[in-house]
Amino acid sequence: MGSLDLNYDDESFSSRRQFKPLDPEEFRKQAHQMVDFIVDYYQKIESYPVLSQVQPGYLRTRIPQTAPYSPESLETIFTDIASDIIPGMTHWLSPNFFAFFPATVSTAAFLGEMLSTCFNSVGFNWLASPAATELEMVVMDWLANMLKLPKSFMFSGTGGGVIQSTTSESVLVTLIAARDRALDKIGAENMKKLVVYGSDQTHSMFVKASKLAGIHPSNIRSIPTNLHNEFSLCPAVLRNVVEADVAEGLVPLYLCATVGTTSTTAIDPVQPLAEVANDHGMWIHVDAAYAGSACICPEFRHYLNGVERVDSLSLSPHKWLLSYLDCCCLWVKRPGILVKALSTNPEYLRNKPSDSDAVVDFKDWQVGTGRKFKSLRLWMVLRSCGIANLQNHIRSDIRMAKMFERLVKLDPRFEIVTPRRFALVCFRLNPFPSSNAERTELMNRKLLEWINSSGQIYVSHTIVGGVYMLRFAIGATLTEERHVVAAWTLIRNGAEELLKGLVI
Amino acid sequence: MGSLDLNYDDESFSSRRQFKPLDPEEFRKQAHQMVDFIVDYYQKIESYPVLSQVQPGYLRTRIPQTAPYSPESLETIFTDIASDIIPGMTHWLSPNFFAFFPATVSTAAFLGEMLSTCFNSVGFNWLASPAATELEMVVMDWLANMLKLPKSFMFSGTGGGVIQSTTSESVLVTLIAARDRALDKIGAENMKKLVVYGSDQTHSMFVKASKLAGIHPSNIRSIPTNLHNEFSLCPAVLRNVVEADVAEGLVPLYLCATVGTTSTTAIDPVQPLAEVANDHGMWIHVDAAYAGSACICPEFRHYLNGVERVDSLSLSPHKWLLSYLDCCCLWVKRPGILVKALSTNPEYLRNKPSDSDAVVDFKDWQVGTGRKFKSLRLWMVLRSCGIANLQNHIRSDIRMAKMFERLVKLDPRFEIVTPRRFALVCFRLNPFPSSNAERTELMNRKLLEWINSSGQIYVSHTIVGGVYMLRFAIGATLTEERHVVAAWTLIRNGAEELLKGLVI
């Protein structure tokens, strides 16, 4: 506290705080300690069970019921993190994590996040942090360039991009933009006529976002897919469904096409789907959360063919571009429609640059008002790694997945269920092809439980087209070939024990 | 990469990546460098203009149009941060930042964020990270205890809490829960009958969230307030408006009451407003984003009186509890209603603990699916600081605000416009009380521009009840009395120059 003694108050200043929440030298000391703690965690990470083995409610019994009245030392807290927190973690960064889609990381992104936290800027509008807004614009254009998106999605063209937290938020805000544009034409009282379209493989967030936006639940279409089409949304089927809705007097609003579905990385064909959507004046969004990152490699870019015909595209670098959570990049072709739906203009935020329309105010591109300096992480990744290394990284993961796929194929007791396209292999144990479906499913459920309860690796599952399968997703940043080989050995051992009747 | 040589692939492995995105020793070295960079920034922060003085578009001319193909060194990046990023920052952590509400920080929260980033867990459900879910439950109960919330808002009682990113998200999800509960009763086709209520002082996010949720724009009530009521929402007026709506056949849905409005920290009286809301079966939410934190001090707790009658309450520790962005705590009395509206259950996320209903899956309490280990920051703050220091911190800020208020009052050319309750002082220059309102407003606009363009401090403004006023918000973590005194000196100097006719 300062020392200027003004005769200004009747309250005693004798209790003047000595509490300094941010003393720079104390910060230096403790942050260095935390860096070493983290490095220690990363070095030991393989020694922890990948999937936490604790029971529900484990923590409440270990922690006091109320916050402490007086400060506790960092040493005490470190001890508790080691004894109470780490055993309850499912270690997403373990090289033996093969579940869901891994969340990828890098030193560069960690540094970027430290810096973003450090500044703690609240960049709701340009003036509140010009660098935060402008760097985000630059980085979104950089990544758009890497993906060879048309200029119509770039700030240097006629569009633009913004970093959202999640795909859910990207879909929600574009859906609302589309909704409000439609209601302007047909009247707000016709909201119940609006229909949205996805496939039965579209991420569950789509149905949720549609409900949030007030789409009538009976107007959310989940169009069936099948193994014959490799679980991709068929444009002809979409057209039939849309035309039937139009014939009923309904209004087609929004199509969410997926490049790389969550269950099996199926691909909805963007170009022909966009034709259907364009014919009916629908907004079309491409959810490329996982597989979009692969499109920075020329050999995968064709999956985005037709993107010039869509309205928006989202992709999550936290999934495959080493950026840590959370980072979902959303590009839109006509930002004006988004801003019209999401803008606010309270007096206390008004300022000359915003009033002059010379700047972007990202609060009008998202749900919330406040926002961190979100682009620093991705900027640091792109600069520290460079495009070449990021391409290598994607290709390396895919090579390891091909290796795993080949190992599976070499074992006649196993089968690949859906085609591998990226770094996810969907397979199952099927030693008795004449066995009934339920028995095969049960066997695979048991195998998965055996694998995951070992703590040595973590694998997840899905059911698609009625078939229960294991999902082996390669991509955790620390994963090397040896981990993949060891994982396969473990899976085979599990299968052997199961087939010997040793697993109940 | 591992060395196991399997004969598995037709692709050359000669280009096997040497790229290691997360090499622990490299991480250690670079993260230590970043810590020192950040400490250096904090030590120098007073030397930068608080409000960035750059022009729109400044950054695009300084940065290449595309990401680099090859890696760049950390040294180069540090140089660019210093030359290109820092000059474009509005320095929210500067002790001379008095605009909006400051965003507060602490060493403890920084360490918590480092650890949260380190784990990079994606805690959509319990199993994906038991510690992340259970620590959040513990911390939400801790803070509820500190606020003396009834047990009906705690996990140890019959309710529970969750960390959202922003107040916008808290209002959006509770509004949707209320909406879906209402539509279950009256039918989804009656959405256009739902009405929501706030005052003209409710944060702009309320109108936005209501629109996002599909509330008909003509059914969003912003009930006028006035200086006579100190800009608080009058329960009798609310009752009249609600009853008029009911008489029209409309359905009252949701009331957002504010404890500490953004413009002037006005207080909507929770208890009598809740009575009106309860009488009409409305959901009532209390937005205590800023002032809620003060309620950890017994002398301010009365502002939450009546909270036992509301459905939900939100408060943002990033505003006053030293937690860095973003952290908005939301408590709900009946989590089941929230979960019913927001739950998803895709096969690929199914697991035994979730199916058994023995655990909390926070994906069903928020918009998105994925989420970071959000509670670590707040947990570290509460433990490292202790309740006593946090109370001291709140009181110290308020003492400084009282000091500033007294300084303003001592100068007859200035006046306090609305009563100071917490650490925000709303005042204006008004040397000629007989002067017309437009001239006074213009004078204050000029004064604000003069102050902010000096770069020495940053102050914001508002207009309430037609009166333009300056908002002097104390609370930046590094602010000491000397900064407040110096700021007042600067403001007086500005006024003097203005009154001498030297400022145009």
Side-chain angles (χ1 to χ4, degrees):
Chain A
M1 301 289 289
S3 59
L4 214 147
D5 205 4
L6 287 165
N7 182 25
Y8 45 74
D9 210 327
D10 46 6
E11 287 180 36
S12 162
F13 263 69
S14 61
S15 65
R16 187 169 298 178
R17 68 171 170 188
Q18 294 303 309
F19 173 55
K20 290 193 167 184
L22 187 75
D23 175 75
E25 285 308 328
E26 188 70 14
F27 179 99
R28 188 197 304 277
K29 187 181 142 209
Q30 297 196 352
H32 280 312
Q33 285 179 267
M34 184 55 90
V35 168
D36 290 332
F37 185 91
I38 290 171
V39 172
D40 190 51
Y41 169 74
Y42 285 154
Q43 286 175 332
K44 280 189 201 154
I45 197 166
E46 282 192 59
S47 70
Y48 302 120
V50 187
L51 178 66
S52 177
Q53 307 286 313
V54 298
Q55 293 302 308
Y58 88 100
L59 190 62
R60 193 167 278 276
T61 60
R62 303 189 189 192
I63 281 191
Q65 291 197 355
T66 52
Y69 187 72
S70 301
E72 295 182 294
S73 73
L74 187 55
E75 287 64 37
T76 309
I77 296 172
F78 274 136
T79 305
D80 292 349
I81 293 167
S83 66
D84 299 339
I85 303 300
I86 288 180
M89 297 301 300
T90 292
H91 299 279
W92 281 72
L93 296 201
S94 166
N96 296 312
F97 185 100
F98 301 105
F100 312 114
F101 289 121
T104 60
V105 304
S106 59
T107 300
F110 193 93
L111 302 185
E113 183 64 9
M114 286 174 79
L115 197 60
S116 168
T117 306
C118 154
F119 287 134
N120 204 42
S121 71
V122 189
F124 37 70
N125 58 26
W126 179 86
L127 191 63
S129 241
T133 298
E134 296 202 10
L135 191 67
E136 190 159 329
M137 296 167 72
V138 166
V139 168
M140 290 302 295
D141 271 13
W142 278 11
L143 190 50
N145 256 312
M146 289 164 65
L147 294 163
K148 303 211 183 310
L149 297 186
K151 277 279 181 188
S152 53
F153 286 102
M154 297 188 206
F155 287 108
S156 59
T158 51
V162 59
I163 299 178
Q164 306 280 357
S165 296
T166 57
T167 304
S168 308
E169 195 179 355
S170 294
V171 168
L172 180 63
V173 297
T174 51
L175 179 53
I176 282 165
R179 180 198 73 185
D180 287 1
R181 180 181 63 170
L183 294 180
D184 273 353
K185 281 187 204 155
I186 65 171
E189 67 281 6
N190 285 310
M191 187 129 111
K192 62 180 182 296
K193 291 187 181 170
L194 300 176
V195 189
V196 299
Y197 304 84
S199 84
D200 58 5
Q201 297 304 304
T202 306
H203 191 282
S204 58
M205 62 78 210
F206 178 60
V207 171
K208 180 165 169 177
S210 300
K211 286 181 184 168
L212 296 184
I215 301 300
H216 198 292
S218 64
N219 288 354
I220 302 171
R221 306 272 174 266
S222 289
I223 298 172
T225 59
N226 56 51
L227 183 59
H228 175 71
N229 274 337
E230 296 181 357
F231 301 105
S232 85
L233 177 57
C234 170
V237 176
L238 173 70
R239 190 178 290 278
N240 288 342
V241 174
V242 171
E243 287 176 357
D245 285 333
V246 171
E248 293 281 328
L250 298 173
V251 179
L253 176 67
Y254 188 97
L255 166 66
C256 181
T258 310
V259 171
T261 61
T262 306
S263 275
T264 65
T265 66
I267 304 283
D268 294 339
V270 174
Q271 174 109 27
L273 290 172
E275 281 171 26
V276 179
N278 292 167
D279 286 351
H280 288 274
M282 269 191 273
W283 186 292
I284 169 166
H285 178 80
V286 173
D287 166 13
Y290 164 71
S293 296
C295 301
I296 66 168
C297 301
E299 66 271 31
F300 299 113
R301 172 56 177 78
H302 64 93
Y303 290 121
L304 292 181
N305 282 354
V307 69
E308 63 282 357
R309 303 189 67 158
V310 312
D311 296 282
S312 51
L313 167 76
S314 61
L315 173 169
S316 296
H318 62 240
K319 282 204 161 67
W320 213 354
L321 286 180
L322 308 176
S323 80
Y324 284 95
L325 252 63
D326 33 25
C327 181
C328 175
C329 292
L330 168 69
W331 290 271
V332 291
K333 202 183 257 173
R334 278 160 292 185
I337 301 174
L338 195 66
V339 170
K340 189 176 177 201
L342 301 176
S343 70
T344 56
N345 193 20
E347 180 61 37
Y348 46 82
L349 296 184
R350 288 189 65 179
N351 64 84
K352 281 188 179 173
S354 296
D355 286 350
S356 74
D357 266 345
V359 295
V360 165
D361 290 340
F362 275 127
K363 74 174 171 53
D364 298 336
W365 295 54
Q366 65 176 17
V367 170
T369 308
R371 65 200 317 270
K372 293 179 70 168
F373 194 153
K374 293 186 172 192
S375 57
L376 277 170
R377 254 183 294 146
L378 194 51
W379 181 63
M380 296 272 302
V381 169
L382 297 179
R383 294 193 66 186
S384 285
C385 302
I387 296 171
N389 273 330
L390 293 171
Q391 291 174 334
N392 285 344
H393 170 73
I394 299 277
R395 288 169 182 148
S396 166
D397 284 349
I398 291 175
R399 270 199 297 266
M400 286 193 277
K402 283 184 181 171
M403 175 184 83
F404 184 84
E405 180 187 30
R406 178 164 302 205
L407 291 169
V408 173
K409 284 181 175 169
L410 285 172
D411 188 324
R413 297 166 304 179
F414 287 86
E415 67 179 7
I416 300 292
V417 185
T418 58
R420 183 210 50 74
R421 280 207 183 73
F422 303 101
L424 170 71
V425 180
C426 294
F427 70 105
R428 65 173 177 169
L429 179 62
N430 193 15
F432 316 115
S434 60
S435 178
N436 74 42
E438 277 161 34
R439 210 177 140 211
T440 308
E441 177 171 329
L442 185 63
M443 199 188 327
N444 280 279
R445 283 185 186 275
K446 282 186 178 174
L447 176 60
L448 185 67
E449 197 167 332
W450 185 90
I451 292 167
N452 288 340
S453 64
S454 77
Q456 293 184 54
I457 64 174
Y458 185 22
V459 176
S460 59
H461 80 284
T462 193
I463 298 178
V464 174
V467 178
Y468 183 97
M469 62 192 92
L470 307 193
R471 294 173 73 267
F472 192 85
I474 290 167
T477 307
L478 298 170
T479 301
E480 301 175 4
E481 285 164 38
R482 63 187 171 91
H483 301 105
V484 176
V485 173
W488 173 242
T489 304
L490 181 79
I491 294 167
R492 282 185 60 165
N493 289 345
E496 270 153 33
E497 302 238 330
L498 194 69
L499 295 173
K500 280 188 213 151
L502 298 174
V503 174
I504 300 163
Chain B
M1 301 291 287
S3 58
L4 213 148
D5 203 4
L6 286 163
N7 181 24
Y8 47 73
D9 211 324
D10 47 5
E11 286 181 35
S12 162
F13 264 68
S14 62
S15 66
R16 190 169 295 182
R17 66 173 171 186
Q18 293 304 310
F19 173 55
K20 289 192 167 186
L22 187 75
D23 175 76
E25 286 307 329
E26 187 70 12
F27 179 99
R28 188 196 305 276
K29 187 180 143 212
Q30 297 196 352
H32 281 311
Q33 284 179 267
M34 183 56 89
V35 169
D36 290 332
F37 184 90
I38 290 171
V39 172
D40 190 52
Y41 169 74
Y42 285 154
Q43 286 175 332
K44 280 190 200 153
I45 196 166
E46 281 191 61
S47 69
Y48 303 119
V50 187
L51 179 65
S52 177
Q53 307 287 314
V54 299
Q55 294 302 310
Y58 88 100
L59 191 61
R60 193 166 280 276
T61 59
R62 302 189 190 192
I63 281 191
Q65 292 197 355
T66 53
Y69 186 73
S70 301
E72 295 183 295
S73 74
L74 186 56
E75 288 64 36
T76 309
I77 296 172
F78 274 136
T79 304
D80 291 350
I81 293 166
S83 66
D84 298 339
I85 303 300
I86 288 181
M89 296 302 298
T90 291
H91 299 279
W92 281 71
L93 296 202
S94 168
N96 296 312
F97 184 100
F98 302 104
F100 312 113
F101 290 122
T104 60
V105 305
S106 59
T107 300
F110 194 94
L111 301 186
E113 182 65 10
M114 286 173 79
L115 196 60
S116 168
T117 306
C118 153
F119 288 135
N120 204 43
S121 72
V122 188
F124 36 70
N125 58 25
W126 179 86
L127 191 63
S129 239
T133 298
E134 296 203 10
L135 191 67
E136 190 158 330
M137 295 168 72
V138 166
V139 167
M140 291 301 294
D141 271 13
W142 279 9
L143 191 51
N145 256 311
M146 289 165 64
L147 294 163
K148 303 210 184 313
L149 296 187
K151 277 280 181 187
S152 53
F153 287 103
M154 297 189 207
F155 287 108
S156 59
T158 52
V162 59
I163 300 178
Q164 306 279 357
S165 296
T166 59
T167 304
S168 308
E169 195 179 354
S170 294
V171 168
L172 180 63
V173 297
T174 51
L175 180 53
I176 282 165
R179 181 198 72 186
D180 286 1
R181 181 181 61 169
L183 294 180
D184 273 352
K185 283 186 202 156
I186 64 171
E189 66 281 8
N190 285 309
M191 186 127 111
K192 61 181 182 296
K193 292 186 180 170
L194 300 175
V195 189
V196 299
Y197 303 85
S199 84
D200 59 5
Q201 297 304 304
T202 307
H203 191 281
S204 58
M205 63 76 209
F206 178 60
V207 171
K208 180 166 169 176
S210 300
K211 286 183 185 164
L212 296 184
I215 302 299
H216 198 292
S218 65
N219 288 356
I220 303 172
R221 306 274 173 266
S222 290
I223 299 171
T225 60
N226 56 53
L227 183 58
H228 176 70
N229 275 337
E230 297 180 355
F231 301 106
S232 84
L233 176 57
C234 171
V237 176
L238 172 69
R239 190 177 290 277
N240 289 342
V241 174
V242 170
E243 287 176 357
D245 284 334
V246 172
E248 293 281 329
L250 298 174
V251 178
L253 176 68
Y254 188 99
L255 166 65
C256 182
T258 310
V259 171
T261 60
T262 307
S263 274
T264 66
T265 67
I267 305 282
D268 293 340
V270 174
Q271 175 110 26
L273 290 172
E275 281 171 27
V276 179
N278 292 167
D279 286 350
H280 288 275
M282 268 191 272
W283 186 292
I284 169 166
H285 177 82
V286 173
D287 167 14
Y290 164 71
S293 296
C295 301
I296 66 167
C297 301
E299 66 271 31
F300 299 113
R301 170 59 176 75
H302 64 91
Y303 290 121
L304 292 181
N305 283 354
V307 70
E308 62 281 358
R309 302 190 67 158
V310 313
D311 296 282
S312 52
L313 167 76
S314 61
L315 174 170
S316 296
H318 63 240
K319 282 204 159 64
W320 214 354
L321 286 180
L322 309 175
S323 80
Y324 284 95
L325 251 65
D326 34 24
C327 181
C328 175
C329 293
L330 168 69
W331 290 272
V332 291
K333 203 182 259 172
R334 279 161 291 186
I337 302 174
L338 196 67
V339 169
K340 189 177 175 197
L342 301 176
S343 71
T344 55
N345 193 19
E347 180 60 38
Y348 46 82
L349 295 184
R350 288 188 65 179
N351 63 85
K352 281 187 180 174
S354 295
D355 285 350
S356 74
D357 265 344
V359 295
V360 165
D361 290 340
F362 275 127
K363 73 175 171 50
D364 298 336
W365 295 55
Q366 64 176 19
V367 171
T369 308
R371 67 200 314 271
K372 293 178 69 168
F373 194 153
K374 292 186 172 192
S375 58
L376 278 170
R377 254 183 295 147
L378 194 50
W379 181 64
M380 298 269 307
V381 170
L382 297 179
R383 295 194 66 185
S384 286
C385 302
I387 296 172
N389 272 329
L390 292 171
Q391 291 174 334
N392 285 345
H393 170 73
I394 298 278
R395 289 169 182 147
S396 166
D397 285 348
I398 291 175
R399 270 200 297 268
M400 285 194 278
K402 283 184 179 171
M403 176 186 85
F404 184 84
E405 181 186 29
R406 179 163 301 206
L407 292 169
V408 173
K409 284 181 175 171
L410 284 172
D411 189 324
R413 299 167 299 180
F414 287 87
E415 65 179 10
I416 301 291
V417 185
T418 59
R420 181 208 52 74
R421 279 207 186 72
F422 303 100
L424 170 71
V425 180
C426 295
F427 71 106
R428 65 172 178 170
L429 179 61
N430 192 14
F432 317 114
S434 60
S435 177
N436 73 42
E438 277 162 32
R439 210 178 138 210
T440 309
E441 176 170 330
L442 185 64
M443 198 188 326
N444 280 280
R445 284 186 184 275
K446 283 186 177 173
L447 176 60
L448 185 67
E449 194 167 336
W450 184 90
I451 292 168
N452 288 339
S453 63
S454 76
Q456 293 183 56
I457 63 173
Y458 184 24
V459 176
S460 60
H461 80 285
T462 193
I463 297 178
V464 175
V467 177
Y468 183 98
M469 62 192 92
L470 308 193
R471 295 174 73 268
F472 192 85
I474 289 167
T477 307
L478 298 170
T479 300
E480 301 175 3
E481 285 164 38
R482 64 187 171 90
H483 301 105
V484 176
V485 173
W488 173 243
T489 305
L490 181 79
I491 293 167
R492 283 184 58 166
N493 289 347
E496 269 153 34
E497 302 237 331
L498 194 68
L499 294 172
K500 280 188 212 152
L502 297 175
V503 175
I504 299 161

